Amino acid sequence: MSTTDISLDAPRSPHARTKRGVNWEKWGWIYMRVSGVLLVVLIFGHLFVNLVMGDGVSQIDFAFVAGKLSDPFWQWYDFLLLTLALIHGTNGMRTIVNDYVAKASVRRILHTALVASTAVLLVLGTLVLFTFDPCPAGADPELVASFCEDIL
């Protein structure tokens, strides 16, 4: 038998990968790289707007935050930052749990805790971003944004 007589119907190696479906580890790996790059851009944009533009850190007060969160652009910017950061961190913690927790039952409990805490933080953060009232009733006019003066 020569090397040219190799049958294409030969049995596969028992070590060959035969699992079908979504490769979640691969997509988690890709997500970490893509979200990491996006997070660097978003974080530096956030720091530049909050700390470099204007009067720097001394400008950050309730009125500054209220002014930013009254603009839909900044609401969605902060939502993207929140979502990417939380899921990125959760995926990193999931990887650490997978690497260092040997018992399947403990690993399952920790994964459930990670998913639950991430879901709670995403819901609370989203509610803050999209339901924030920049002009609270009865607020001191000195402390609220300048556009609230007409309302108060």
Side-chain angles (χ1 to χ4, degrees), residues 26-126:
K26 178 182 88 168
W27 286 108
W29 185 88
I30 291 170
Y31 176 81
M32 292 300 275
R33 273 56 187 176
V34 172
S35 68
V37 170
L38 288 172
L39 280 168
V40 167
V41 171
L42 290 171
I43 289 168
F44 278 112
H46 177 82
L47 291 174
F48 181 78
V49 168
N50 290 332
L51 302 177
V52 176
M53 290 179 61
D55 295 331
V57 73
S58 62
Q59 73 182 347
I60 300 176
D61 58 5
F62 181 84
F64 178 79
V65 174
K68 275 186 72 178
L69 290 181
S70 65
D71 182 359
F73 171 79
W74 289 111
Q75 286 177 331
W76 285 102
Y77 186 96
D78 288 346
F79 175 74
L80 184 62
L81 186 61
L82 170 76
T83 304
L84 287 174
L86 274 173
I87 296 172
H88 184 93
T90 301
N91 194 30
M93 288 302 298
R94 180 194 62 82
T95 302
I96 291 170
V97 167
N98 287 344
D99 287 347
Y100 292 106
V101 178
K103 288 183 76 173
S105 60
V106 175
R107 193 168 41 248
R108 193 174 312 112
I109 290 169
L110 291 174
H111 284 167
T112 303
L114 277 170
V115 170
S117 62
T118 301
V120 167
L121 289 172
L122 273 173
V123 168
L124 291 176
T126 302

Side-chain angles (χ1 to χ4, degrees), residues 9-25:
D9 295 329
R12 295 182 62 159
S13 163
H15 303 292
R17 188 172 188 172
T18 59
K19 182 181 172 188
R20 292 209 162 81
V22 178
N23 185 348
W24 290 109
E25 289 300 320

